[in-house]
Amino acid sequence: LLGLEISPKYGGSGGTARQQSIVVEQLARACAATSTIYIAHLSLCCRFISMYGSENQKRELLPGLVSGSKVGAFALTESVSGSDAAGMITTLKHQKDGFIINGSKTYITNAVEASTIVVMATIDPKLRSKGVNALIVDSKSPGITINPIHGKMGIRASSIAEIVFENVFVPKKNLISDESNGFKNTMNVLNASRISIAAQCVGIAQSAYDAALDYSQNRMAFGQNLSEFQGIQWKLADMATEIEAARLLTLQAATLRDSKKPFIKEASMAKLYGSRVAVELADKAVQLHGGVGYLSPSPVERIYRDAKVTEIYEGTSEIQRLIIARQILDSGNI
Ligand code: COS
């Protein structure tokens, strides 16, 4: 599973975005945090190297990553730049044989465990997107400090950390994308990875539905199972319909990507819609459980906390709307 969409030439298992979506959905159905670890590792870090790395970078790094013996991370976000990714201030300076990085990244999934981190840094913050480079950084490089961040509302089995770079030397051979295409390559990796987040949303929504269905068929009230009340039946019907719609949007985006057709708008639509469905179905599942759903360790209490982040990470819902709107306005149709 760790090698999906990575060429067998580098130890991967090949396969398609559709297959990866199905895997992510099932992982998230069981545990959203596990699927987040998987997405950051495979869909962001390995994907960046696989899409834009040199032959040597792929041969050197991908076999260890896809076998699972090494963990990957993707470091874009900074305390000063989340949605405004081009507003980053972590800098890189050219030096003989390589680069020196200074600055910090935050909320980086897998950074605590990762050996390989794809890091975005700028040659000059004033250049915004035109100054962004992407580099492969060994997490053990001198000058790197990883500070774990605690206190997340949900997906707690997935770590996040701040990464501080103090005069970190990165050899020239580790550059993946220079300033002429670093930002666009980063955006393209995110476009593809948003399909995985959409699949994660479907999995979370499905797990909320699974719990709601099970409870409604076993909990008695007023002399009958909850599922025998029309109000509950309508709720279950709405939940099932919303899951199917979110799943089809996700598979549509994945299929377009697999067919090498434009998919940016569809990926953002799938993430935007899927994350709303995950949050709303988690809410409905807690409501259907009543008091027991509000208590830990009820599964729906965890699902409720896990779902929210899908509207925030890998581009907030507001950023997805911005991307969709730009695509619609550029092409003149939906
Ligand atoms: N796919 C491919 N290319 C894209 C793109 C996308 N989705 N979005 C922008 N680009 C390209 C543009 O075409 C432009 O290229 P040119 O320089 O050739 O014209 C370049 O990137 C700069 O784009 P733009 O000027 O539109 O950048 P902005 O700063 O206005 O906005 C957004 C870019 C907001 C779309 C970007 O910052 C973004 O996606 N933010 C969210 C970041 C995110 O998801 N963070 C989560 C981190 S991982 S948990």
Side-chain angles (χ1 to χ4, degrees), residues 47-236:
R47 189 192 300 280
F48 209 129
I49 298 168
S50 157
M51 280 172 72
Y52 298 114
S54 66
E55 188 60 27
N56 280 346
Q57 288 168 345
K58 291 184 207 178
R59 281 192 191 284
E60 189 189 328
L61 293 163
L62 288 175
L65 288 166
V66 301
S67 73
S69 62
K70 295 200 165 144
V71 176
F74 170 93
L76 174 65
T77 301
E78 301 182 7
S79 56
V80 296
S81 63
S83 290
D84 180 15
M88 70 179 67
I89 56 171
T90 293
T91 54
L92 96 166
K93 291 214 180 325
H94 290 266
Q95 224 207 20
K96 193 172 174 291
D97 301 330
F99 310 92
I100 298 288
I101 306 184
N102 276 293
S104 66
K105 297 285 171 178
T106 197
Y107 308 147
I108 306 306
T109 299
N110 292 352
V112 177
E113 299 83 9
S115 57
T116 303
I117 310 175
V118 173
V119 177
M120 272 53 73
T122 177
I123 54 161
D124 179 355
K126 287 198 278 307
L127 295 175
R128 290 191 46 90
S129 63
K130 303 270 185 282
V132 175
N133 287 225
L135 305 111
I136 297 166
V137 177
D138 182 332
S139 66
K140 297 285 177 293
S141 308
I144 289 189
T145 311
I146 311 269
N147 298 316
I149 299 171
H150 299 290
K152 279 195 291 181
M153 178 195 284
I155 57 163
R156 290 184 185 166
S158 153
S159 69
I160 53 167
E162 175 196 40
I163 310 174
V164 181
F165 300 87
E166 280 174 298
N167 294 320
V168 175
F169 176 74
V170 180
K172 207 180 225 163
K173 70 177 176 65
N174 285 22
L175 184 70
I176 326 180
S177 308
D178 65 15
E179 55 270 21
S180 62
N181 47 25
F183 189 78
K184 275 198 262 187
N185 291 355
T186 304
M187 290 297 115
N188 283 328
V189 169
L190 280 172
N191 292 332
S193 189
R194 285 174 185 143
I195 303 174
S196 301
I197 299 293
Q200 176 184 52
C201 296
V202 177
I204 294 172
Q206 179 74 49
S207 67
Y209 171 82
D210 292 342
L213 182 69
D214 183 61
Y215 192 74
S216 70
Q217 288 178 319
N218 289 295
R219 168 72 174 182
M220 301 280 292
F222 304 99
Q224 58 183 14
N225 280 330
L226 295 187
S227 61
E228 290 171 64
F229 290 96
Q230 193 177 48
I232 301 293
Q233 290 172 1
W234 287 9
K235 195 174 248 189
L236 291 169

Side-chain angles (χ1 to χ4, degrees), residues 235 238-239 242 279-289:
K235 195 174 248 189
D238 283 346
M239 291 171 92
E242 281 156 17
V279 169
E280 282 178 6
L281 263 63
D283 181 51
K284 283 180 177 151
V286 170
Q287 189 66 21
L288 193 141
H289 278 70

